[in-house]
Amino acid sequence: QVELVESGGGLVQTGDSLTLTCAASRGTIRTSAMAWFRQGAGREREFVAVVSMAGTVRDYADSVKGRFTISRDNAKNTVTLRMNRLEPEDTAVYYCAARSRTVTGAVPKSGYDNWGPGTQVTVSA
């Protein structure tokens, strides 16, 4: 079982960029597809981006396509989410998730086995 910890959240202004990192504090991400989800206040947790085990498949929510980039470094046991042109609507707690099965695209949150505690991202207008 892999244990995940997110970092890199903070308070930024509209149009700014931010990079989130998910690190495995225990175990390896090498055998997991990795994803980012987010949950705004009073909202359901929603899919943001996913990357396959080998990094060959990536998929994004329509709301972040062209602005966010997910990547992974299996040697460093990390996954990053680069977020550009941030908007107030991106304000949420961002969670990293691991799935011990392959992905060919977005998978609902029920399809993930392990989650990090989350990191807050706040975008001011």
Side-chain angles (χ1 to χ4, degrees):
Q1 177 158 327
V2 60
E3 292 185 3
L4 305 170
V5 179
E6 304 91 341
S7 62
L11 173 63
V12 297
Q13 295 183 331
T14 297
D16 284 352
S17 297
L18 204 59
T19 298
L20 305 182
T21 299
C22 172
S25 60
R26 183 169 151 182
T28 177
I29 68 166
R30 191 180 303 272
T31 54
S32 295
M34 300 297 297
W36 287 94
F37 284 74
R38 67 186 182 186
Q39 187 167 12
R43 302 185 66 174
E44 294 287 322
R45 191 171 299 190
E46 63 177 5
F47 167 77
V48 175
V50 64
V51 60
S52 61
M53 292 180 192
T56 53
V57 175
R58 290 180 176 84
D59 198 10
Y60 298 90
D62 288 343
S63 58
V64 307
K65 275 181 184 174
R67 299 189 299 123
F68 290 12
T69 302
I70 188 171
S71 59
R72 65 187 298 156
D73 187 332
N74 287 341
K76 294 183 178 178
N77 231 1
T78 59
V79 178
T80 60
L81 184 69
R82 174 66 175 177
M83 306 184 294
N84 295 325
R85 303 197 309 276
L86 282 161
E87 305 165 354
E89 293 73 22
D90 297 316
T91 294
V93 177
Y94 283 72
Y95 298 91
C96 177
R99 168 183 165 92
S100 59
R101 288 148 288 169
T102 191
V103 296
T104 56
V107 173
K109 57 183 180 287
S110 59
Y112 290 85
D113 309 302
N114 304 102
W115 294 81
T119 186
Q120 175 71 47
V121 172
T122 303
V123 185
S124 63

